[in-house]
C-alpha cells in the first residue's frame, strides 16, 4: 500500500487545490458578470469536456504507462493554472480565460482518474482494493468539504491571487508524488511506446471497452445503479436548499442550511473512513443493493416530510451509502475486467456517471417547477391524492420530485438484487497475490478468497 498511499496523498492535495480554486473562480465569475447563466456555464464546462474526452482518454490510458499518462495530465493542468495565475497578477484575467482553463482541466481529469483507478489494481493486494477505493473516496470527500471553507479564508487574506497560487502549488505537489512513486504496470507495455504491437485501431479498442463495461448482466446493473445514484445525488443537492429555506423561518435559515450540509458531509466522512479501515464485505453486491435502498428511502422520507431535522438525517443517511456503493462497485469492476483494459472501462464508466450528475443538475429545476409543481399544487390533478401526503405547503414540486427520485433509486437497486458479477479466473501459478509495490504477477488479478474466489473449474459468481 506504500505506493498507493503516496499517490493518494498527492491526489488529495491536487483535489483540494482544485476545489478551492473552483469555488473561488465561480464566485469571481458571478461577481464580475452578475449573470447566473455565465456562472452555470462555468459549472457545465467542468463536466461536459471531460465526458467527451473520456473514450479517447481510456484508449490512451490502456496504450501507455499509467504513470506517464498521469504525469502528462498533471503537467498540462499545472501549466494552465500557472497561465491563469500570471494573467490575474497582471490584471488581464477574463471570464473566457477561466472558461478555457476549466475546459482543459476537465479534459485532464478525464485522463487522471481512469489512469489512477486502473493503476490501483497493481499497487495493492486484491484484499486491500476495497480500502484503497474508500481512501480515494475519502480524499475527494475531504477536498469537497474543506475546499469552500479554505477558499473563503484565502479570499479574505490574499484575494484571488492567493487562491491561484495555492492551486498551482497543489498541482506541483501532486506531480511530485507521481514522479516519486513506482507504478506497477500491466504486461505488454514496451517502455513509453505503449502496446504498439497490439494496437487494433481506436474504433475496435473503444468497442472492446464498451463490451467489457457491460459484458455481464451484473456489470450492466452496476452501471445503472451507480449512474442513477449520481443523478439522485445531484438532484437532491439541487433541491435540498430550497426545501430547507421554504420550511424554516428566516431567522433560522442559516443555521438550518449549515445543519443539513454538515450532516451530509459527516455521513460521507464516517462511511468513507469506515470503508478505509474495514475489509470489503464478503457479498459486495448485497451491500450495494442495501446501501442504495437505504439512501433511496432517506430521499423519499425527506420529500414527504421536508423539515430541517429530517432533511439533516436524510442527508446523513444518503451520503452514508455513497462510499459503500462506489467502493464495492469499484472492486467488482477491478475483479471482472482484465488489467490491460481497465483504462477504457473506467473512462467510459466515468462518462456515464458524470452524465448522470449533469442531467440531475440540469433537470432538477425544470422538473420541480414545471412538471411536479403543477401536479400537486392547489387545483392540480394529484393535489387531492399524492399532494395530501406532502406535509409542506410551499415548494411542493421539489418535495414531489425528491420523493420520485428516492423511489426510483430504491426500485432500480431492487430490480437487480439477484445479479452477480463473475471474477476473472486466476492463472494456475498465481497462488499468492503480488507484493504491494512490485509489478503485476499475472495478466489478471486473482480476487481475494473471501469475496470473489474463482472455482476450480474457472469462475465463481459473487453476490
Amino acid at each position: 500500500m506504500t505506493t498507493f498511499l503516496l499517490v493518494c496523498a498527492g491526489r488529495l492535495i491536487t483535489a483540494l487545490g482544485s476545489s478551492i480554486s473552483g469555488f473561488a473562480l465561480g464566485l469571481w465569475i458571478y461577481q464580475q458578470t452578475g449573470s447566473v447563466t455565465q456562472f452555470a456555464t462555468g459549472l457545465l464546462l467542468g463536466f461536459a469536456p471531460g465526458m467527451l474526452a473520456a473514450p479517447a482518454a481510456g484508449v490512451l490510458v490502456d496504450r501507455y504507462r499509467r504513470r506517464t499518462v498521469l504525469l502528462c495530465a498533471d503537467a498540462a493542468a499545472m501549466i494552465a493554472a500557472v497561465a491563469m495565475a500570471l494573467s490575474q497578477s497582471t490584471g488581464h484575467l477574463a471570464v473566457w480565460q477561466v472558461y478555457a482553463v476549466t475546459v482543459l482541466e476537465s479534459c485532464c481529469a478525464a485522463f487522471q482518474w481512469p489512469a489512477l483507478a486502473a493503476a490501483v489494481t497493481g499497487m495493492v493486494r486484491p484484499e486491500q482494493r476495497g480500502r484503497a477505493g474508500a481512501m480515494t473516496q475519502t480524499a475527494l470527500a475531504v477536498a469537497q468539504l474543506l475546499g469552500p471553507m479554505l477558499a473563503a479564508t484565502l479570499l479574505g487574506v490574499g484575494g484571488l491571487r492567493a487562491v491561484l497560487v495555492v492551486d498551482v502549488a497543489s498541482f506541483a505537489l501532486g506531480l511530485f508524488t507521481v514522479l516519486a512513486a513506482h507504478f506497477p504496470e500491466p504486461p505488454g507495455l514496451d517502455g513509453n511506446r505503449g502496446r504498439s504491437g497490439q494496437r487494433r485501431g481506436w474504433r475496435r479498442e473503444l468497442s472492446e471497452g464498451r463490451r467489457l463495461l457491460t459484458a455481464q448482466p451484473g456489470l450492466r446493473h452496476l452501471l445503472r445503479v451507480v449512474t442513477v445514484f449520481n443523478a439522485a445525488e445531484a438532484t437532491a443537492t439541487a433541491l435540498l436548499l430550497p426545501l430547507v429555506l421554504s420550511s424554516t423561518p428566516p431567522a433560522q435559515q442559516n443555521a438550518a442550511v449549515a445543519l443539513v450540509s454538515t450532516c451530509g458531509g459527516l455521513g460521507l466522512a464516517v462511511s468513507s473512513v469506515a470503508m478505509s479501515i474495514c475489509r470489503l464485505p464478503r457479498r459486495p453486491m448485497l451491500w450495494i443493493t442495501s446501501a442504495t435502498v437505504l439512501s433511496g428511502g432517506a430521499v423519499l422520507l425527506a420529500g414527504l416530510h421536508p423539515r430541517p431535522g429530517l432533511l439533516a438525517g436524510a442527508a446523513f443517511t444518503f451520503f452514508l451509502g455513497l462510499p459503500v456503493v462506489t467502493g464495492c462497485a469499484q472492486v467488482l469492476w477491478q475483479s471482472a475486467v482484465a488489467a490491460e483494459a481497465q483504462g477504457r472501462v473506467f473512462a467510459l464508466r466515468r462518462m456515464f456517471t458524470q452524465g448522470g450528475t449533469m442531467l440531475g443538475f440540469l433537470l432538477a429545476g425544470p422538473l420541480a417547477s414545471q412538471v411536479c409543481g403543477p401536479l400537486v399544487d392547489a387545483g392540480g390533478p394529484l393535489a387531492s391524492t399524492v399532494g395530501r401526503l406532502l406535509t409542506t405547503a410551499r415548494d411542493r414540486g421539489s418535495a414531489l420530485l425528491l420523493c420520485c427520485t428516492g423511489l426510483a433509486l430504491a426500485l432500480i437497486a431492487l430490480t437487480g438484487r439477484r445479479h452477480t458479477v463473475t471474477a476473472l479466473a486466476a492463472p494456475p501459478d498465481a497462488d499468492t497475490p503480488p507484493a504491494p509495490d512490485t509489478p503485476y504477477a499475472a495478466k489478471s488479478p486473482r480476487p481475494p478468497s473471501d469475496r470473489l474466489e474463482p472455482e476450480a473449474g474457472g469462475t465463481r459468481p459473487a453476490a
Side-chain angles (χ1 to χ4, degrees), residues 288-303:
I288 289 173
T289 301
S290 301
T292 305
V293 171
L294 183 64
S295 297
V299 174
L300 175 61
L301 181 62

mmCIF file with all atom_site columns, all heavy atoms in Angstrom, residues 288-303:
data_model
loop_
_atom_site.group_PDB
_atom_site.id
_atom_site.type_symbol
_atom_site.label_atom_id
_atom_site.label_alt_id
_atom_site.label_comp_id
_atom_site.label_asym_id
_atom_site.label_entity_id
_atom_site.label_seq_id
_atom_site.pdbx_PDB_ins_code
_atom_site.Cartn_x
_atom_site.Cartn_y
_atom_site.Cartn_z
_atom_site.occupancy
_atom_site.B_iso_or_equiv
_atom_site.pdbx_formal_charge
_atom_site.auth_seq_id
_atom_site.auth_comp_id
_atom_site.auth_asym_id
_atom_site.auth_atom_id
_atom_site.pdbx_PDB_model_num
ATOM 1  N N   . ILE A 1 288 ? -24.233 -3.237 -1.908 1.00 0.00 ? 288 ILE A N   1
ATOM 2  C CA  . ILE A 1 288 ? -24.596 -2.179 -2.846 1.00 0.00 ? 288 ILE A CA  1
ATOM 3  C C   . ILE A 1 288 ? -26.114 -2.001 -2.882 1.00 0.00 ? 288 ILE A C   1
ATOM 4  O O   . ILE A 1 288 ? -26.634 -0.884 -2.810 1.00 0.00 ? 288 ILE A O   1
ATOM 5  C CB  . ILE A 1 288 ? -24.046 -2.504 -4.250 1.00 0.00 ? 288 ILE A CB  1
ATOM 6  C CG1 . ILE A 1 288 ? -22.525 -2.366 -4.273 1.00 0.00 ? 288 ILE A CG1 1
ATOM 7  C CG2 . ILE A 1 288 ? -24.677 -1.600 -5.305 1.00 0.00 ? 288 ILE A CG2 1
ATOM 8  C CD1 . ILE A 1 288 ? -21.894 -2.820 -5.570 1.00 0.00 ? 288 ILE A CD1 1
ATOM 9  N N   . THR A 1 289 ? -26.831 -3.121 -2.979 1.00 0.00 ? 289 THR A N   1
ATOM 10 C CA  . THR A 1 289 ? -28.292 -3.051 -3.006 1.00 0.00 ? 289 THR A CA  1
ATOM 11 C C   . THR A 1 289 ? -28.837 -2.449 -1.719 1.00 0.00 ? 289 THR A C   1
ATOM 12 O O   . THR A 1 289 ? -29.708 -1.565 -1.734 1.00 0.00 ? 289 THR A O   1
ATOM 13 C CB  . THR A 1 289 ? -28.886 -4.454 -3.219 1.00 0.00 ? 289 THR A CB  1
ATOM 14 O OG1 . THR A 1 289 ? -28.399 -4.991 -4.462 1.00 0.00 ? 289 THR A OG1 1
ATOM 15 C CG2 . THR A 1 289 ? -30.398 -4.403 -3.261 1.00 0.00 ? 289 THR A CG2 1
ATOM 16 N N   . SER A 1 290 ? -28.332 -2.921 -0.578 1.00 0.00 ? 290 SER A N   1
ATOM 17 C CA  . SER A 1 290 ? -28.837 -2.435 0.710  1.00 0.00 ? 290 SER A CA  1
ATOM 18 C C   . SER A 1 290 ? -28.561 -0.944 0.891  1.00 0.00 ? 290 SER A C   1
ATOM 19 O O   . SER A 1 290 ? -29.439 -0.186 1.326  1.00 0.00 ? 290 SER A O   1
ATOM 20 C CB  . SER A 1 290 ? -28.188 -3.231 1.852  1.00 0.00 ? 290 SER A CB  1
ATOM 21 O OG  . SER A 1 290 ? -28.465 -4.609 1.724  1.00 0.00 ? 290 SER A OG  1
ATOM 22 N N   . ALA A 1 291 ? -27.334 -0.517 0.572  1.00 0.00 ? 291 ALA A N   1
ATOM 23 C CA  . ALA A 1 291 ? -26.982 0.894  0.734  1.00 0.00 ? 291 ALA A CA  1
ATOM 24 C C   . ALA A 1 291 ? -27.801 1.776  -0.197 1.00 0.00 ? 291 ALA A C   1
ATOM 25 O O   . ALA A 1 291 ? -28.229 2.878  0.183  1.00 0.00 ? 291 ALA A O   1
ATOM 26 C CB  . ALA A 1 291 ? -25.487 1.093  0.484  1.00 0.00 ? 291 ALA A CB  1
ATOM 27 N N   . THR A 1 292 ? -28.046 1.309  -1.430 1.00 0.00 ? 292 THR A N   1
ATOM 28 C CA  . THR A 1 292 ? -28.826 2.103  -2.385 1.00 0.00 ? 292 THR A CA  1
ATOM 29 C C   . THR A 1 292 ? -30.277 2.216  -1.943 1.00 0.00 ? 292 THR A C   1
ATOM 30 O O   . THR A 1 292 ? -30.886 3.296  -2.021 1.00 0.00 ? 292 THR A O   1
ATOM 31 C CB  . THR A 1 292 ? -28.748 1.471  -3.778 1.00 0.00 ? 292 THR A CB  1
ATOM 32 O OG1 . THR A 1 292 ? -27.372 1.315  -4.160 1.00 0.00 ? 292 THR A OG1 1
ATOM 33 C CG2 . THR A 1 292 ? -29.437 2.345  -4.807 1.00 0.00 ? 292 THR A CG2 1
ATOM 34 N N   . VAL A 1 293 ? -30.857 1.116  -1.476 1.00 0.00 ? 293 VAL A N   1
ATOM 35 C CA  . VAL A 1 293 ? -32.243 1.162  -0.992 1.00 0.00 ? 293 VAL A CA  1
ATOM 36 C C   . VAL A 1 293 ? -32.346 2.071  0.230  1.00 0.00 ? 293 VAL A C   1
ATOM 37 O O   . VAL A 1 293 ? -33.300 2.868  0.359  1.00 0.00 ? 293 VAL A O   1
ATOM 38 C CB  . VAL A 1 293 ? -32.730 -0.260 -0.664 1.00 0.00 ? 293 VAL A CB  1
ATOM 39 C CG1 . VAL A 1 293 ? -34.075 -0.218 0.052  1.00 0.00 ? 293 VAL A CG1 1
ATOM 40 C CG2 . VAL A 1 293 ? -32.838 -1.091 -1.935 1.00 0.00 ? 293 VAL A CG2 1
ATOM 41 N N   . LEU A 1 294 ? -31.380 1.989  1.135  1.00 0.00 ? 294 LEU A N   1
ATOM 42 C CA  . LEU A 1 294 ? -31.395 2.840  2.319  1.00 0.00 ? 294 LEU A CA  1
ATOM 43 C C   . LEU A 1 294 ? -31.298 4.319  1.934  1.00 0.00 ? 294 LEU A C   1
ATOM 44 O O   . LEU A 1 294 ? -32.029 5.167  2.464  1.00 0.00 ? 294 LEU A O   1
ATOM 45 C CB  . LEU A 1 294 ? -30.243 2.459  3.244  1.00 0.00 ? 294 LEU A CB  1
ATOM 46 C CG  . LEU A 1 294 ? -30.149 3.217  4.575  1.00 0.00 ? 294 LEU A CG  1
ATOM 47 C CD1 . LEU A 1 294 ? -31.377 2.928  5.435  1.00 0.00 ? 294 LEU A CD1 1
ATOM 48 C CD2 . LEU A 1 294 ? -28.872 2.839  5.314  1.00 0.00 ? 294 LEU A CD2 1
ATOM 49 N N   . SER A 1 295 ? -30.416 4.630  1.006  1.00 0.00 ? 295 SER A N   1
ATOM 50 C CA  . SER A 1 295 ? -30.272 6.018  0.559  1.00 0.00 ? 295 SER A CA  1
ATOM 51 C C   . SER A 1 295 ? -31.534 6.491  -0.151 1.00 0.00 ? 295 SER A C   1
ATOM 52 O O   . SER A 1 295 ? -31.983 7.628  0.041  1.00 0.00 ? 295 SER A O   1
ATOM 53 C CB  . SER A 1 295 ? -29.061 6.146  -0.365 1.00 0.00 ? 295 SER A CB  1
ATOM 54 O OG  . SER A 1 295 ? -27.859 5.841  0.316  1.00 0.00 ? 295 SER A OG  1
ATOM 55 N N   . GLY A 1 296 ? -32.125 5.628  -0.997 1.00 0.00 ? 296 GLY A N   1
ATOM 56 C CA  . GLY A 1 296 ? -33.368 5.998  -1.663 1.00 0.00 ? 296 GLY A CA  1
ATOM 57 C C   . GLY A 1 296 ? -34.495 6.232  -0.680 1.00 0.00 ? 296 GLY A C   1
ATOM 58 O O   . GLY A 1 296 ? -35.292 7.163  -0.835 1.00 0.00 ? 296 GLY A O   1
ATOM 59 N N   . GLY A 1 297 ? -34.578 5.380  0.360  1.00 0.00 ? 297 GLY A N   1
ATOM 60 C CA  . GLY A 1 297 ? -35.607 5.584  1.380  1.00 0.00 ? 297 GLY A CA  1
ATOM 61 C C   . GLY A 1 297 ? -35.423 6.894  2.122  1.00 0.00 ? 297 GLY A C   1
ATOM 62 O O   . GLY A 1 297 ? -36.408 7.578  2.461  1.00 0.00 ? 297 GLY A O   1
ATOM 63 N N   . ALA A 1 298 ? -34.162 7.277  2.368  1.00 0.00 ? 298 ALA A N   1
ATOM 64 C CA  . ALA A 1 298 ? -33.909 8.551  3.048  1.00 0.00 ? 298 ALA A CA  1
ATOM 65 C C   . ALA A 1 298 ? -34.361 9.731  2.193  1.00 0.00 ? 298 ALA A C   1
ATOM 66 O O   . ALA A 1 298 ? -34.954 10.697 2.697  1.00 0.00 ? 298 ALA A O   1
ATOM 67 C CB  . ALA A 1 298 ? -32.417 8.669  3.360  1.00 0.00 ? 298 ALA A CB  1
ATOM 68 N N   . VAL A 1 299 ? -34.114 9.663  0.880  1.00 0.00 ? 299 VAL A N   1
ATOM 69 C CA  . VAL A 1 299 ? -34.547 10.736 -0.017 1.00 0.00 ? 299 VAL A CA  1
ATOM 70 C C   . VAL A 1 299 ? -36.075 10.788 -0.085 1.00 0.00 ? 299 VAL A C   1
ATOM 71 O O   . VAL A 1 299 ? -36.680 11.876 -0.088 1.00 0.00 ? 299 VAL A O   1
ATOM 72 C CB  . VAL A 1 299 ? -33.935 10.528 -1.419 1.00 0.00 ? 299 VAL A CB  1
ATOM 73 C CG1 . VAL A 1 299 ? -34.481 11.557 -2.407 1.00 0.00 ? 299 VAL A CG1 1
ATOM 74 C CG2 . VAL A 1 299 ? -32.419 10.637 -1.361 1.00 0.00 ? 299 VAL A CG2 1
ATOM 75 N N   . LEU A 1 300 ? -36.724 9.633  -0.130 1.00 0.00 ? 300 LEU A N   1
ATOM 76 C CA  . LEU A 1 300 ? -38.188 9.588  -0.147 1.00 0.00 ? 300 LEU A CA  1
ATOM 77 C C   . LEU A 1 300 ? -38.770 10.210 1.118  1.00 0.00 ? 300 LEU A C   1
ATOM 78 O O   . LEU A 1 300 ? -39.724 11.003 1.062  1.00 0.00 ? 300 LEU A O   1
ATOM 79 C CB  . LEU A 1 300 ? -38.644 8.138  -0.286 1.00 0.00 ? 300 LEU A CB  1
ATOM 80 C CG  . LEU A 1 300 ? -40.144 7.867  -0.206 1.00 0.00 ? 300 LEU A CG  1
ATOM 81 C CD1 . LEU A 1 300 ? -40.887 8.586  -1.324 1.00 0.00 ? 300 LEU A CD1 1
ATOM 82 C CD2 . LEU A 1 300 ? -40.423 6.370  -0.262 1.00 0.00 ? 300 LEU A CD2 1
ATOM 83 N N   . LEU A 1 301 ? -38.206 9.871  2.264  1.00 0.00 ? 301 LEU A N   1
ATOM 84 C CA  . LEU A 1 301 ? -38.685 10.423 3.526  1.00 0.00 ? 301 LEU A CA  1
ATOM 85 C C   . LEU A 1 301 ? -38.475 11.941 3.575  1.00 0.00 ? 301 LEU A C   1
ATOM 86 O O   . LEU A 1 301 ? -39.329 12.683 4.081  1.00 0.00 ? 301 LEU A O   1
ATOM 87 C CB  . LEU A 1 301 ? -37.962 9.753  4.692  1.00 0.00 ? 301 LEU A CB  1
ATOM 88 C CG  . LEU A 1 301 ? -38.376 10.200 6.101  1.00 0.00 ? 301 LEU A CG  1
ATOM 89 C CD1 . LEU A 1 301 ? -39.849 9.882  6.349  1.00 0.00 ? 301 LEU A CD1 1
ATOM 90 C CD2 . LEU A 1 301 ? -37.496 9.531  7.151  1.00 0.00 ? 301 LEU A CD2 1
ATOM 91 N N   . ALA A 1 302 ? -37.342 12.406 3.037  1.00 0.00 ? 302 ALA A N   1
ATOM 92 C CA  . ALA A 1 302 ? -37.085 13.848 3.016  1.00 0.00 ? 302 ALA A CA  1
ATOM 93 C C   . ALA A 1 302 ? -38.113 14.586 2.177  1.00 0.00 ? 302 ALA A C   1
ATOM 94 O O   . ALA A 1 302 ? -38.519 15.710 2.510  1.00 0.00 ? 302 ALA A O   1
ATOM 95 C CB  . ALA A 1 302 ? -35.676 14.109 2.475  1.00 0.00 ? 302 ALA A CB  1
ATOM 96 N N   . GLY A 1 303 ? -38.567 13.969 1.079  1.00 0.00 ? 303 GLY A N   1
ATOM 97 C CA  . GLY A 1 303 ? -39.589 14.609 0.267  1.00 0.00 ? 303 GLY A CA  1
ATOM 98 C C   . GLY A 1 303 ? -40.944 14.632 0.931  1.00 0.00 ? 303 GLY A C   1
ATOM 99 O O   . GLY A 1 303 ? -41.701 15.600 0.795  1.00 0.00 ? 303 GLY A O   1
#
